[in-house]
Each structure stands twice: as structure tokens, then as C-alpha cells.
Amino acid sequence: EAQVTQNPRYLITVTGKKLTVTCSQNMNHEYMSWYRQDPGLGLRQIYYSMNVEVTDKGDVPEGYKVSRKEKRNFPLILESPSPNQTSLYFCASSLRGGRGYFGPGTRLTVL
Amino acid sequence: QQPVQSPQAVILREGEDAVINCSSSKALYSVHWYRQKHGEAPVFLMILLKGGEQKGHEKISASFNEKKQQSSLYLTASQLSYSGTYFCGTESPPRKTSNTGKLIFGQGTTLQVKP
């Protein structure tokens, strides 16, 4: 079954404690992205990747890091989380110019 | 810069039609449409790549006017299952000849279909 998986689905953490949200896809897609969703602001792209070792900033990259060492994985790293990073995060993947598949989302709360 | 969607919210009765507009201040390479139901991930509806292109998905279709930098989503004879939030995502690569994956979504349009 074609899917994008994210882990964890829910996370409560404290300010400054480094965390990683994993994202994996089984469709051999070149493109992968991370979004955050906040009420009234829609989906905002954090980082995107066009292929292995090729990543670029989206609209709201501050406070986040990503890496793309393998085609299937695209982890999101928060080195020092702050309360303003409390949000719902989605990972997505697609072929070039193709339909996007979103993961189920990770709800992050930073206290 | 985020594309602007209008209206922000719309309430329909089953069987009625609706149009959701998406407007960008930048030249566009493509427009993507997604629907998100409450508590779920966004689900792909369609991509439009060429100026004036129109696509359909069951009773949902869309148009893309590249010159006006606008896209519209048409929902015909709406069903209860159409309820959700609709997002347009726009892509404006520097070269306008290929996509990059940098997608900017609008703030969303909430559609509620009542029996």
C-alpha cells in the first residue's frame, strides 16, 4: 500500500529539548516536503527536497533542520524547540509534478 | 507570498454548486488542489499545469488561467462528502519550465454541505 508514515503521531516536550520527527515513504518519490499547519494560516512549507542530498528552504524554515540521506526518509529536526513551534506537522511526498501524498500528521506541543 | 483564496467559508445545501477561487501575485507554473477533512491529512484532488487548462474529478473540476495567475475549483451538485477545507497550492519556479517542489498553500476555504 502506497503510504507516507510519520512518527511520533503525538509529542509533548519541553523548551530546548532536541527532537526528531521521522517521515518515510514507500513510493520511490523524489520530492518530499514538511509543512506545519496552524489555525487560520493554512499549510506552510518548512523545507522541501527534490532528491537525495538536495534540500531547500520553504516559507518558514527558522528553527528547523532536515536531511535527505536516503530517498525514502526525510526527518525533521528541531534542535531547540520553542513554544511557537507548537503545531500540527505534515510530511508529504510526490513524483516530480505529480500528486502529493500526505502523512497522517504529528501533533507537537512544546511547553 | 501566500495565494489568496476566496471565499474563506461557504455553506451549501446538498445539490448546490460552489466555486472556490485562488489568486496569486506571482507568475505560476502549476496549481495544486487538496481537500482536508477535520482531523485528517490533506488529500490530493488535482494539478493544473497549463494556462487555461481545465480538469475534472467526478463532479469537481478546476480551471487555471496562467495569465491572470488564478485558478478556480468548481464543485457541482455538492454532496455531504464534499465538506471539508479546500487548499490551493501554487508553484512559481524561477525558470517557469519545470517544477521544484516549492509549494505555497493558501489559507484554505471551509466548505460545509448540509442535508
Side-chain angles (χ1 to χ4, degrees):
Chain A
E1 179 192 354
Q3 62 180 357
V4 178
T5 57
Q6 295 179 226
N7 282 292
R9 294 289 312 280
Y10 302 90
L11 179 60
I12 301 174
T13 189
V14 295
T15 299
K17 187 176 181 181
K18 181 179 178 180
L19 67 92
T20 299
V21 184
T22 64
C23 173
S24 184
Q25 49 94 4
N26 63 359
M27 295 166 279
N28 202 36
H29 286 167
E30 299 103 327
Y31 286 73
M32 296 188 76
S33 297
W34 276 103
Y35 298 89
R36 62 176 290 173
Q37 186 172 30
D38 303 288
L41 297 178
L43 293 155
R44 293 182 293 168
Q45 195 175 47
I46 302 170
Y47 270 94
Y48 62 101
S49 170
M50 294 170 65
N51 215 324
V52 175
E53 302 292 3
V54 181
T55 63
D56 206 349
K57 296 177 181 178
D59 277 347
V60 288
E62 294 78 20
Y64 304 94
K65 285 176 59 178
V66 293
S67 69
R68 188 94 182 270
K69 292 184 171 58
E70 304 167 284
K71 200 171 187 179
R72 62 182 293 125
N73 297 322
F74 191 43
L76 180 69
I77 302 158
L78 285 73
E79 294 269 0
S80 182
S82 61
N84 64 12
Q85 292 178 298
T86 292
S87 187
L88 178 59
Y89 291 86
F90 287 103
C91 178
S93 75
S94 70
L95 290 170
R96 176 178 172 172
R99 63 169 291 173
Y101 291 80
F102 278 78
T106 295
R107 189 166 292 280
L108 172 66
T109 302
V110 183
L111 302 174
Chain B
Q1 195 166 2
Q2 264 188 317
V4 176
Q5 289 185 231
S6 63
Q8 285 191 321
V10 58
I11 300 175
L12 298 174
R13 293 286 180 190
E14 263 187 303
E16 292 181 338
D17 301 339
V19 179
I20 299 172
N21 299 304
C22 175
S23 182
S24 175
S25 59
K26 299 173 74 172
L28 300 178
Y29 172 78
S30 66
V31 179
H32 304 225
W33 285 97
Y34 287 80
R35 176 172 63 206
Q36 183 180 32
K37 294 188 179 287
H38 184 71
E40 299 181 7
V43 173
F44 172 83
L45 292 175
M46 63 191 78
I47 293 176
L48 302 108
L49 293 173
K50 297 179 182 178
E53 184 182 18
Q54 189 144 357
K55 278 194 170 183
H57 174 77
E58 298 177 343
K59 291 182 181 177
I60 300 174
S61 62
S63 63
F64 176 25
N65 188 320
E66 188 180 350
K67 289 182 180 178
K68 291 186 177 180
Q69 298 161 192
Q70 293 175 344
S71 178
S72 294
L73 187 72
Y74 306 95
L75 299 104
T76 306
S78 58
Q79 305 166 14
L80 294 175
S81 62
Y82 285 4
S83 294
T85 301
Y86 289 79
F87 292 98
C88 70
T90 58
E91 195 173 10
S92 304
R95 295 187 301 279
K96 287 185 68 176
T97 56
S98 64
N99 62 325
T100 63
K102 183 176 173 64
L103 206 58
I104 303 174
F105 282 94
Q107 78 280 18
T109 295
T110 300
L111 175 71
Q112 185 179 3
V113 181
K114 294 186 173 182

